[in-house]
Amino acid sequence: DCSNLIPSLTSLFPPRLLHRPLSLPHSRFISKASLHHPSSPSSSSSSPPSLVNRRQIISQTASLSLSLATLSSLPLPAKSEEVLSEWERVYLPIDPGVVLLDIAFVPDDLNHGFLLGTRQTILETKDGGNTWTQRSIPSAEDEDFNYRFNSISFKGKEGWIVGKPAILLYTSDAGESWERIPLSAQLPGDMVYIKATGEKSAEMVTDQGAIYVTSNRGYNWRAAVQETVSATLNRTVSSGISGASYYTGTFNTVNRSPDGRYVAVSSRGNFYLTWEPGQPFWQPHNRAIARRIQNMGWRADGGLWLLVRGGGLFLSKGTGISEDFEEVPVQSRGFGILDVGYRSEEEAWAAGGSGVLLRTTNGGKNWTRDKAADNIAANLYSVK
């Protein structure tokens, strides 16, 4: 039932839908905020937004994008608040019911990107996200499987894709061709995340907490964690981790920081886990908030953000791994927030149920609502 999947671009596991979306063709949003780009000298440019070249805008902000679960198939007349918004709607050539799971652009060519989803969906753009076309990968069509492509990552022209049932694709030419890399059938859990880390190198994570590293193009993988999360909790359940006895053996979400640290939310959202390079095991943490955790990730300054079911947003005090969080008031209109994405230490976007879209320009202290998706009967699953 794809309607129960709410994946994230930075967290690749499906939290529960706040309400069942309409079964309509999908879309995504791309930012038009070149006047607010971190590299721009000022947002008060003498040229108004309407005069800025469209290709320049898309090229500068291609890395900021929003996936939508379901949107109507026909464009609606633009309303005044949509004209003023920094987001513009892009329609996708995919079937109703497809859930979008991850997006990535080639670092050497920000006009060239890929969008992944369920039902073996791979879309490709070569104009910064303005138009998308279906992409067929012959090596993924040899068997009678309907793959769910979970994660994509690029480093230079090298790229990686992982999916379920277990499949690993690799490219060395910026996605012009993809090669299938064989995988062991003994991997614990399903592959849900991959990160390109260097030349012929990548990091791969399964939903049972296994982390594997390769430095030879995926032909060999080394385990970075000595045991699964279930095994760790069986040893540490007496240490006072609330909810560990209800753990089903899988993550709900997982996010990686730029320096290689991970934070993951348990399947029921009743505690979270962290891992840093060099640690033999995942470290479980009690949540200090009464409501269950929806998602967690890393701020641009190295601290943590935390979302709880029901629409609450919390930020950790200080940077690094912490169990001390404080709530930040947000105008979520009572709908849950599903993901947060940082463009800089000061600017971030939060997205959630029923078109909730929020922006901060002071590191998360204050959030304002962008009304671009207010009239769209869809959840905003992820922002990247």
Side-chain angles (χ1 to χ4, degrees):
D1 183 2
C2 289
S3 64
N4 288 327
L5 303 178
I6 306 184
S8 166
L9 299 194
T10 53
S11 54
L12 308 177
F13 302 82
R16 188 183 304 275
L17 273 176
L18 300 174
H19 67 283
R20 189 180 184 88
L22 303 176
S23 294
L24 299 171
H26 292 43
S27 295
R28 60 184 287 274
F29 277 171
I30 59 175
S31 171
K32 299 186 294 183
S34 67
L35 296 184
H36 298 274
H37 193 276
S39 62
S40 300
S42 171
S43 61
S44 58
S45 170
S46 58
S47 299
S50 60
L51 300 181
V52 179
N53 180 272
R54 175 185 179 86
R55 181 172 294 277
Q56 177 185 1
I57 290 173
I58 294 175
S59 174
Q60 290 178 349
T61 61
S63 63
L64 179 61
S65 57
L66 261 174
S67 292
L68 285 162
T70 53
L71 295 171
S72 68
S73 58
L74 297 177
L76 299 175
K79 299 182 181 297
S80 58
E81 62 266 24
E82 292 173 342
V83 173
L84 297 175
S85 171
E86 299 184 3
W87 295 92
E88 116 180 62
R89 195 164 161 184
V90 177
Y91 293 86
L92 300 175
I94 53 179
D95 296 329
V98 170
V99 179
L100 306 175
L101 298 172
D102 200 11
I103 185 172
F105 283 78
V106 180
D108 297 340
D109 180 7
L110 293 184
N111 285 318
H112 190 192
F114 294 85
L115 183 59
L116 308 183
T118 58
R119 302 185 186 178
Q120 210 150 304
T121 297
I122 300 181
L123 301 179
E124 183 178 19
T125 180
K126 292 191 175 181
D127 59 8
N130 186 34
T131 58
W132 296 81
T133 58
Q134 290 274 5
R135 178 67 187 271
S136 174
I137 308 295
S139 59
E141 297 177 349
D142 296 338
E143 302 173 18
D144 191 22
F145 286 122
N146 196 359
Y147 287 103
R148 164 194 175 105
F149 293 119
N150 286 323
S151 179
I152 181 171
S153 179
F154 279 94
K155 183 82 170 181
K157 292 186 177 181
E158 291 187 86
W160 306 78
I161 291 176
V162 292
K164 174 186 177 182
I167 185 171
L168 173 65
L169 302 175
Y170 169 81
T171 179
S172 59
D173 55 11
E176 295 300 325
S177 62
W178 292 88
E179 171 190 359
R180 184 166 180 178
I181 305 295
L183 286 170
S184 169
Q186 306 302 317
L187 285 175
D190 296 317
M191 292 178 299
V192 289
Y193 180 80
I194 194 160
K195 174 68 175 179
T197 56
E199 184 179 357
K200 300 181 180 180
S201 301
E203 233 171 56
M204 181 172 63
V205 184
T206 76
D207 63 355
Q208 291 189 18
I211 301 176
Y212 293 98
V213 178
T214 184
S215 58
N216 61 359
R217 209 163 166 260
Y219 290 112
N220 300 103
W221 295 85
R222 174 181 58 83
V225 180
Q226 294 182 12
E227 62 186 12
T228 63
V229 173
S230 292
T232 298
L233 292 175
N234 286 336
R235 291 189 298 99
T236 61
V237 69
S238 60
S239 63
I241 301 300
S242 177
S245 59
Y246 298 101
Y247 185 70
T248 62
T250 58
F251 291 154
N252 193 37
T253 67
V254 63
N255 273 302
R256 184 186 189 275
S257 71
D259 60 0
R261 295 173 294 163
Y262 284 91
V263 59
V265 177
S266 70
S267 50
R268 292 168 58 95
N270 41 18
F271 64 96
Y272 66 98
L273 306 104
T274 59
W275 180 82
E276 298 182 78
Q279 289 183 337
F281 316 112
W282 286 84
Q283 306 297 314
H285 303 267
N286 278 313
R287 74 182 194 273
I289 298 101
R291 286 174 287 173
R292 291 188 178 182
I293 304 171
Q294 180 83 37
N295 195 3
M296 292 183 70
W298 302 92
R299 304 195 304 265
D301 65 1
L304 289 166
W305 53 261
L306 182 151
L307 304 173
V308 297
R309 298 179 186 179
L313 188 156
F314 293 76
L315 300 179
S316 66
K317 296 180 180 179
T319 60
I321 295 173
S322 172
E323 297 182 7
D324 192 7
F325 290 81
E326 56 184 356
E327 186 169 11
V328 178
V330 291
Q331 303 175 40
S332 65
R333 299 183 295 158
F335 294 99
I337 302 174
L338 303 177
D339 195 26
V340 177
Y342 278 77
R343 297 182 74 190
S344 67
E345 288 194 12
E346 298 300 319
E347 183 184 1
W349 292 82
S354 194
V356 170
L357 186 57
L358 306 167
R359 181 194 188 200
T360 180
T361 56
N362 59 9
K365 298 175 184 176
N366 304 101
W367 296 79
T368 56
R369 190 161 60 89
D370 188 309
K371 299 180 181 180
D374 277 6
N375 297 319
I376 296 173
N379 294 332
L380 304 181
Y381 292 159
S382 175
V383 58
K384 192 170 188 177

Short mmCIF file of all heavy atoms in Angstrom, two decimals, residues 213-267:
data_model
loop_
_atom_site.label_atom_id
_atom_site.label_comp_id
_atom_site.label_asym_id
_atom_site.label_seq_id
_atom_site.Cartn_x
_atom_site.Cartn_y
_atom_site.Cartn_z
N VAL A 213 31.16 -0.34 3.90
CA VAL A 213 32.02 0.63 3.21
C VAL A 213 32.77 -0.09 2.10
O VAL A 213 33.27 -1.20 2.29
CB VAL A 213 33.01 1.27 4.21
CG1 VAL A 213 33.92 2.25 3.48
CG2 VAL A 213 32.28 1.97 5.34
N THR A 214 32.86 0.56 0.94
CA THR A 214 33.65 0.02 -0.17
C THR A 214 34.62 1.09 -0.67
O THR A 214 34.33 2.28 -0.60
CB THR A 214 32.76 -0.43 -1.34
OG1 THR A 214 33.59 -1.03 -2.36
CG2 THR A 214 32.00 0.74 -1.95
N SER A 215 35.77 0.64 -1.15
CA SER A 215 36.74 1.57 -1.75
C SER A 215 37.20 1.05 -3.11
O SER A 215 38.16 1.57 -3.67
CB SER A 215 37.94 1.75 -0.81
OG SER A 215 38.56 0.50 -0.54
N ASN A 216 36.53 0.01 -3.61
CA ASN A 216 36.94 -0.57 -4.90
C ASN A 216 35.74 -0.78 -5.81
O ASN A 216 35.57 -1.84 -6.40
CB ASN A 216 37.72 -1.87 -4.69
CG ASN A 216 36.90 -2.93 -3.99
OD1 ASN A 216 35.74 -2.70 -3.63
ND2 ASN A 216 37.49 -4.10 -3.79
N ARG A 217 34.88 0.26 -5.86
CA ARG A 217 33.79 0.25 -6.82
C ARG A 217 32.69 -0.76 -6.49
O ARG A 217 31.92 -1.18 -7.36
CB ARG A 217 34.35 -0.04 -8.22
CG ARG A 217 33.58 0.55 -9.38
CD ARG A 217 34.46 0.54 -10.62
NE ARG A 217 33.71 0.78 -11.84
CZ ARG A 217 33.31 -0.17 -12.68
NH1 ARG A 217 33.59 -1.43 -12.42
NH2 ARG A 217 32.65 0.14 -13.78
N GLY A 218 32.61 -1.16 -5.24
CA GLY A 218 31.54 -2.03 -4.81
C GLY A 218 31.80 -3.51 -4.94
O GLY A 218 30.91 -4.32 -4.68
N TYR A 219 33.02 -3.89 -5.31
CA TYR A 219 33.31 -5.31 -5.46
C TYR A 219 33.52 -5.99 -4.10
O TYR A 219 33.28 -7.18 -3.96
CB TYR A 219 34.53 -5.52 -6.35
CG TYR A 219 34.24 -5.18 -7.80
CD1 TYR A 219 34.83 -4.09 -8.41
CD2 TYR A 219 33.35 -5.95 -8.55
CE1 TYR A 219 34.55 -3.77 -9.74
CE2 TYR A 219 33.07 -5.65 -9.86
CZ TYR A 219 33.68 -4.55 -10.46
OH TYR A 219 33.39 -4.23 -11.76
N ASN A 220 33.98 -5.23 -3.13
CA ASN A 220 34.11 -5.74 -1.76
C ASN A 220 33.57 -4.70 -0.80
O ASN A 220 33.72 -3.49 -1.01
CB ASN A 220 35.58 -6.05 -1.42
CG ASN A 220 36.19 -7.08 -2.34
OD1 ASN A 220 36.95 -6.73 -3.22
ND2 ASN A 220 35.84 -8.35 -2.13
N TRP A 221 32.94 -5.19 0.27
CA TRP A 221 32.37 -4.29 1.28
C TRP A 221 32.87 -4.71 2.66
O TRP A 221 32.92 -5.90 2.97
CB TRP A 221 30.85 -4.33 1.26
CG TRP A 221 30.25 -3.81 -0.02
CD1 TRP A 221 30.04 -4.51 -1.18
CD2 TRP A 221 29.82 -2.47 -0.27
NE1 TRP A 221 29.49 -3.68 -2.12
CE2 TRP A 221 29.34 -2.43 -1.60
CE3 TRP A 221 29.78 -1.30 0.51
CZ2 TRP A 221 28.82 -1.27 -2.18
CZ3 TRP A 221 29.27 -0.16 -0.07
CH2 TRP A 221 28.80 -0.13 -1.39
N ARG A 222 33.23 -3.73 3.46
CA ARG A 222 33.70 -3.97 4.83
C ARG A 222 32.65 -3.47 5.82
O ARG A 222 32.13 -2.37 5.68
CB ARG A 222 35.02 -3.25 5.07
CG ARG A 222 35.54 -3.32 6.50
CD ARG A 222 36.84 -2.57 6.64
NE ARG A 222 36.71 -1.16 6.26
CZ ARG A 222 36.25 -0.22 7.10
NH1 ARG A 222 35.88 -0.53 8.34
NH2 ARG A 222 36.17 1.03 6.69
N ALA A 223 32.34 -4.28 6.82
CA ALA A 223 31.36 -3.89 7.83
C ALA A 223 31.96 -2.87 8.77
O ALA A 223 33.02 -3.09 9.34
CB ALA A 223 30.87 -5.11 8.60
N ALA A 224 31.28 -1.73 8.93
CA ALA A 224 31.75 -0.68 9.84
C ALA A 224 31.14 -0.81 11.23
O ALA A 224 31.63 -0.20 12.18
CB ALA A 224 31.42 0.70 9.26
N VAL A 225 30.09 -1.61 11.36
CA VAL A 225 29.44 -1.85 12.65
C VAL A 225 29.49 -3.35 12.92
O VAL A 225 29.27 -4.16 12.01
CB VAL A 225 27.98 -1.35 12.64
CG1 VAL A 225 27.31 -1.60 13.97
CG2 VAL A 225 27.93 0.13 12.30
N GLN A 226 29.76 -3.73 14.16
CA GLN A 226 30.01 -5.13 14.47
C GLN A 226 28.75 -5.97 14.63
O GLN A 226 28.81 -7.19 14.58
CB GLN A 226 30.86 -5.23 15.75
CG GLN A 226 32.26 -4.68 15.59
CD GLN A 226 33.10 -4.85 16.85
OE1 GLN A 226 32.70 -5.57 17.77
NE2 GLN A 226 34.23 -4.17 16.91
N GLU A 227 27.58 -5.32 14.83
CA GLU A 227 26.36 -6.08 15.01
C GLU A 227 25.15 -5.24 14.62
O GLU A 227 25.25 -4.01 14.49
CB GLU A 227 26.22 -6.53 16.48
CG GLU A 227 26.11 -5.37 17.46
CD GLU A 227 26.13 -5.82 18.91
OE1 GLU A 227 26.45 -6.99 19.17
OE2 GLU A 227 25.83 -4.99 19.79
N THR A 228 24.03 -5.90 14.42
CA THR A 228 22.81 -5.18 14.09
C THR A 228 22.28 -4.45 15.32
O THR A 228 22.71 -4.71 16.45
CB THR A 228 21.73 -6.14 13.59
OG1 THR A 228 21.39 -7.05 14.65
CG2 THR A 228 22.21 -6.92 12.37
N VAL A 229 21.35 -3.55 15.09
CA VAL A 229 20.78 -2.80 16.22
C VAL A 229 20.02 -3.72 17.16
O VAL A 229 20.06 -3.53 18.39
CB VAL A 229 19.86 -1.68 15.68
CG1 VAL A 229 19.12 -1.00 16.83
CG2 VAL A 229 20.68 -0.65 14.91
N SER A 230 19.34 -4.72 16.62
CA SER A 230 18.62 -5.66 17.49
C SER A 230 19.57 -6.33 18.48
O SER A 230 19.26 -6.48 19.67
CB SER A 230 17.90 -6.71 16.65
OG SER A 230 16.85 -6.13 15.92
N ALA A 231 20.73 -6.76 18.00
CA ALA A 231 21.71 -7.39 18.88
C ALA A 231 22.22 -6.42 19.93
O ALA A 231 22.40 -6.78 21.10
CB ALA A 231 22.87 -7.95 18.05
N THR A 232 22.44 -5.17 19.52
CA THR A 232 22.90 -4.16 20.48
C THR A 232 21.87 -3.94 21.57
O THR A 232 22.20 -3.87 22.76
CB THR A 232 23.19 -2.83 19.76
OG1 THR A 232 24.23 -3.03 18.80
CG2 THR A 232 23.60 -1.75 20.74
N LEU A 233 20.60 -3.83 21.18
CA LEU A 233 19.55 -3.58 22.17
C LEU A 233 19.35 -4.78 23.09
O LEU A 233 19.02 -4.61 24.27
CB LEU A 233 18.24 -3.24 21.46
CG LEU A 233 18.25 -1.90 20.72
CD1 LEU A 233 16.95 -1.71 19.96
CD2 LEU A 233 18.44 -0.75 21.71
N ASN A 234 19.55 -5.97 22.60
CA ASN A 234 19.44 -7.15 23.46
C ASN A 234 20.49 -7.12 24.57
O ASN A 234 20.26 -7.64 25.67
CB ASN A 234 19.60 -8.43 22.63
CG ASN A 234 18.38 -8.72 21.80
OD1 ASN A 234 17.28 -8.28 22.13
ND2 ASN A 234 18.56 -9.46 20.71
N ARG A 235 21.65 -6.50 24.29
CA ARG A 235 22.68 -6.40 25.30
C ARG A 235 22.46 -5.21 26.23
O ARG A 235 22.91 -5.24 27.38
CB ARG A 235 24.06 -6.24 24.64
CG ARG A 235 24.56 -7.47 23.91
CD ARG A 235 26.01 -7.31 23.47
NE ARG A 235 26.20 -6.19 22.54
CZ ARG A 235 26.66 -4.99 22.89
NH1 ARG A 235 26.94 -4.73 24.16
NH2 ARG A 235 26.81 -4.04 21.99
N THR A 236 21.80 -4.17 25.73
CA THR A 236 21.70 -2.93 26.51
C THR A 236 20.29 -2.64 27.00
O THR A 236 20.04 -1.57 27.51
CB THR A 236 22.17 -1.74 25.66
OG1 THR A 236 21.32 -1.62 24.51
CG2 THR A 236 23.60 -1.94 25.21
N VAL A 237 19.37 -3.61 26.83
CA VAL A 237 17.99 -3.33 27.21
C VAL A 237 17.85 -3.02 28.70
O VAL A 237 16.96 -2.29 29.12
CB VAL A 237 17.08 -4.52 26.82
CG1 VAL A 237 17.40 -5.74 27.68
CG2 VAL A 237 15.61 -4.14 26.93
N SER A 238 18.77 -3.53 29.50
CA SER A 238 18.71 -3.26 30.94
C SER A 238 19.28 -1.89 31.29
O SER A 238 19.26 -1.49 32.45
CB SER A 238 19.49 -4.34 31.70
OG SER A 238 20.85 -4.34 31.30
N SER A 239 19.79 -1.16 30.30
CA SER A 239 20.39 0.14 30.58
C SER A 239 19.37 1.26 30.66
O SER A 239 19.73 2.42 30.85
CB SER A 239 21.43 0.48 29.49
OG SER A 239 20.80 0.60 28.23
N GLY A 240 18.10 0.93 30.48
CA GLY A 240 17.07 1.94 30.66
C GLY A 240 16.59 2.61 29.40
O GLY A 240 16.05 3.71 29.46
N ILE A 241 16.77 1.99 28.24
CA ILE A 241 16.27 2.57 27.00
C ILE A 241 14.78 2.27 26.89
O ILE A 241 14.37 1.13 26.71
CB ILE A 241 17.01 2.02 25.77
CG1 ILE A 241 18.51 2.33 25.89
CG2 ILE A 241 16.45 2.61 24.49
CD1 ILE A 241 18.82 3.81 25.97
N SER A 242 13.97 3.30 27.01
CA SER A 242 12.52 3.13 27.00
C SER A 242 12.04 2.71 25.62
O SER A 242 12.38 3.34 24.62
CB SER A 242 11.84 4.44 27.40
OG SER A 242 10.44 4.32 27.32
N GLY A 243 11.27 1.64 25.56
CA GLY A 243 10.71 1.18 24.30
C GLY A 243 11.57 0.19 23.57
O GLY A 243 11.17 -0.30 22.51
N ALA A 244 12.77 -0.13 24.09
CA ALA A 244 13.66 -1.05 23.38
C ALA A 244 13.04 -2.43 23.24
O ALA A 244 13.28 -3.12 22.25
CB ALA A 244 15.00 -1.13 24.10
N SER A 245 12.23 -2.83 24.21
CA SER A 245 11.63 -4.16 24.14
C SER A 245 10.58 -4.26 23.04
O SER A 245 10.17 -5.36 22.67
CB SER A 245 10.99 -4.51 25.50
OG SER A 245 10.01 -3.55 25.84
N TYR A 246 10.13 -3.11 22.53
CA TYR A 246 9.14 -3.12 21.45
C TYR A 246 9.80 -2.93 20.08
O TYR A 246 9.11 -2.82 19.08
CB TYR A 246 8.12 -1.99 21.66
CG TYR A 246 7.32 -2.13 22.93
CD1 TYR A 246 7.65 -1.38 24.05
CD2 TYR A 246 6.25 -3.02 23.01
CE1 TYR A 246 6.91 -1.50 25.23
CE2 TYR A 246 5.52 -3.15 24.17
CZ TYR A 246 5.85 -2.39 25.28
OH TYR A 246 5.13 -2.51 26.43
N TYR A 247 11.09 -2.90 20.04
CA TYR A 247 11.81 -2.65 18.79
C TYR A 247 11.59 -3.82 17.84
O TYR A 247 11.73 -4.98 18.22
CB TYR A 247 13.30 -2.46 19.08
CG TYR A 247 14.13 -2.08 17.89
CD1 TYR A 247 14.00 -0.82 17.31
CD2 TYR A 247 15.05 -2.96 17.33
CE1 TYR A 247 14.76 -0.45 16.22
CE2 TYR A 247 15.82 -2.60 16.25
CZ TYR A 247 15.67 -1.34 15.69
OH TYR A 247 16.43 -0.97 14.62
N THR A 248 11.26 -3.51 16.59
CA THR A 248 10.96 -4.56 15.62
C THR A 248 12.16 -4.94 14.76
O THR A 248 12.04 -5.77 13.87
CB THR A 248 9.82 -4.13 14.69
OG1 THR A 248 10.23 -2.97 13.95
CG2 THR A 248 8.56 -3.81 15.47
N GLY A 249 13.30 -4.29 15.00
CA GLY A 249 14.50 -4.65 14.26
C GLY A 249 14.81 -3.77 13.08
O GLY A 249 15.78 -4.02 12.37
N THR A 250 14.01 -2.73 12.85
CA THR A 250 14.26 -1.85 11.70
C THR A 250 14.17 -0.39 12.12
O THR A 250 13.53 -0.04 13.10
CB THR A 250 13.25 -2.10 10.57
OG1 THR A 250 11.93 -1.89 11.06
CG2 THR A 250 13.38 -3.51 10.03
N PHE A 251 14.82 0.45 11.31
CA PHE A 251 14.76 1.90 11.50
C PHE A 251 13.50 2.45 10.85
O PHE A 251 12.98 1.90 9.88
CB PHE A 251 15.96 2.59 10.85
CG PHE A 251 17.27 2.33 11.52
CD1 PHE A 251 18.45 2.41 10.80
CD2 PHE A 251 17.33 2.01 12.86
CE1 PHE A 251 19.67 2.19 11.40
CE2 PHE A 251 18.54 1.78 13.48
CZ PHE A 251 19.72 1.87 12.76
N ASN A 252 13.06 3.59 11.37
CA ASN A 252 12.00 4.35 10.72
C ASN A 252 12.61 5.37 9.77
O ASN A 252 12.15 5.54 8.64
CB ASN A 252 11.12 5.04 11.77
CG ASN A 252 9.85 5.58 11.17
OD1 ASN A 252 9.26 4.98 10.30
ND2 ASN A 252 9.44 6.75 11.63
N THR A 253 13.64 6.06 10.22
CA THR A 253 14.38 7.01 9.38
C THR A 253 15.86 6.95 9.75
O THR A 253 16.22 6.52 10.84
CB THR A 253 13.90 8.47 9.59
OG1 THR A 253 14.23 8.90 10.91
CG2 THR A 253 12.40 8.58 9.38
N VAL A 254 16.71 7.38 8.84
CA VAL A 254 18.15 7.48 9.11
C VAL A 254 18.70 8.66 8.33
O VAL A 254 18.28 8.92 7.19
CB VAL A 254 18.90 6.17 8.75
CG1 VAL A 254 18.79 5.88 7.27
CG2 VAL A 254 20.35 6.24 9.17
N ASN A 255 19.60 9.41 8.95
CA ASN A 255 20.22 10.57 8.30
C ASN A 255 21.71 10.59 8.59
O ASN A 255 22.14 10.26 9.71
CB ASN A 255 19.60 11.87 8.79
CG ASN A 255 18.38 12.26 7.98
OD1 ASN A 255 18.45 12.43 6.77
ND2 ASN A 255 17.24 12.38 8.65
N ARG A 256 22.49 11.03 7.62
CA ARG A 256 23.95 11.09 7.75
C ARG A 256 24.40 12.53 7.71
O ARG A 256 23.93 13.33 6.90
CB ARG A 256 24.61 10.31 6.60
CG ARG A 256 26.13 10.23 6.67
CD ARG A 256 26.66 9.56 5.40
NE ARG A 256 28.08 9.25 5.47
CZ ARG A 256 29.06 10.08 5.17
NH1 ARG A 256 28.76 11.33 4.78
NH2 ARG A 256 30.33 9.72 5.25
N SER A 257 25.35 12.89 8.59
CA SER A 257 25.93 14.22 8.59
C SER A 257 27.07 14.27 7.57
O SER A 257 27.60 13.23 7.17
CB SER A 257 26.47 14.58 9.98
OG SER A 257 27.63 13.82 10.27
N PRO A 258 27.50 15.45 7.15
CA PRO A 258 28.60 15.54 6.19
C PRO A 258 29.90 14.89 6.67
O PRO A 258 30.70 14.43 5.86
CB PRO A 258 28.78 17.05 5.99
CG PRO A 258 27.43 17.63 6.29
CD PRO A 258 26.89 16.77 7.39
N ASP A 259 30.11 14.84 7.99
CA ASP A 259 31.33 14.23 8.51
C ASP A 259 31.17 12.76 8.86
O ASP A 259 32.02 12.17 9.52
CB ASP A 259 31.86 15.01 9.72
CG ASP A 259 30.86 15.06 10.87
OD1 ASP A 259 29.76 14.48 10.73
OD2 ASP A 259 31.18 15.68 11.90
N GLY A 260 30.08 12.13 8.45
CA GLY A 260 29.95 10.69 8.58
C GLY A 260 29.23 10.18 9.80
O GLY A 260 29.18 8.97 10.02
N ARG A 261 28.63 11.05 10.61
CA ARG A 261 27.84 10.59 11.76
C ARG A 261 26.42 10.26 11.32
O ARG A 261 25.89 10.85 10.38
CB ARG A 261 27.82 11.66 12.85
CG ARG A 261 29.18 11.93 13.48
CD ARG A 261 29.10 13.11 14.43
NE ARG A 261 28.79 14.35 13.73
CZ ARG A 261 28.36 15.45 14.32
NH1 ARG A 261 28.15 15.48 15.61
NH2 ARG A 261 28.12 16.53 13.58
N TYR A 262 25.78 9.32 12.01
CA TYR A 262 24.41 8.93 11.67
C TYR A 262 23.49 9.13 12.87
O TYR A 262 23.90 8.97 14.03
CB TYR A 262 24.35 7.45 11.26
CG TYR A 262 24.86 7.16 9.87
CD1 TYR A 262 26.20 6.84 9.67
CD2 TYR A 262 24.01 7.20 8.77
CE1 TYR A 262 26.68 6.57 8.39
CE2 TYR A 262 24.48 6.93 7.49
CZ TYR A 262 25.82 6.61 7.32
OH TYR A 262 26.29 6.35 6.06
N VAL A 263 22.23 9.45 12.57
CA VAL A 263 21.17 9.44 13.58
C VAL A 263 20.00 8.69 12.96
O VAL A 263 19.66 8.89 11.80
CB VAL A 263 20.76 10.86 14.02
CG1 VAL A 263 20.27 11.70 12.85
CG2 VAL A 263 19.72 10.80 15.13
N ALA A 264 19.41 7.77 13.72
CA ALA A 264 18.31 6.95 13.23
C ALA A 264 17.21 6.90 14.28
O ALA A 264 17.47 6.97 15.48
CB ALA A 264 18.80 5.53 12.92
N VAL A 265 15.97 6.78 13.81
CA VAL A 265 14.80 6.71 14.68
C VAL A 265 14.28 5.28 14.68
O VAL A 265 14.18 4.65 13.62
CB VAL A 265 13.71 7.69 14.22
CG1 VAL A 265 12.46 7.57 15.09
CG2 VAL A 265 14.23 9.12 14.22
N SER A 266 13.95 4.76 15.85
CA SER A 266 13.45 3.40 15.94
C SER A 266 12.12 3.26 15.21
O SER A 266 11.43 4.25 14.95
CB SER A 266 13.27 2.99 17.40
OG SER A 266 12.18 3.70 17.99
N SER A 267 11.75 2.03 14.89
CA SER A 267 10.59 1.78 14.06
C SER A 267 9.30 2.34 14.66
O SER A 267 8.39 2.72 13.92
CB SER A 267 10.44 0.27 13.81
OG SER A 267 10.52 -0.43 15.04
#
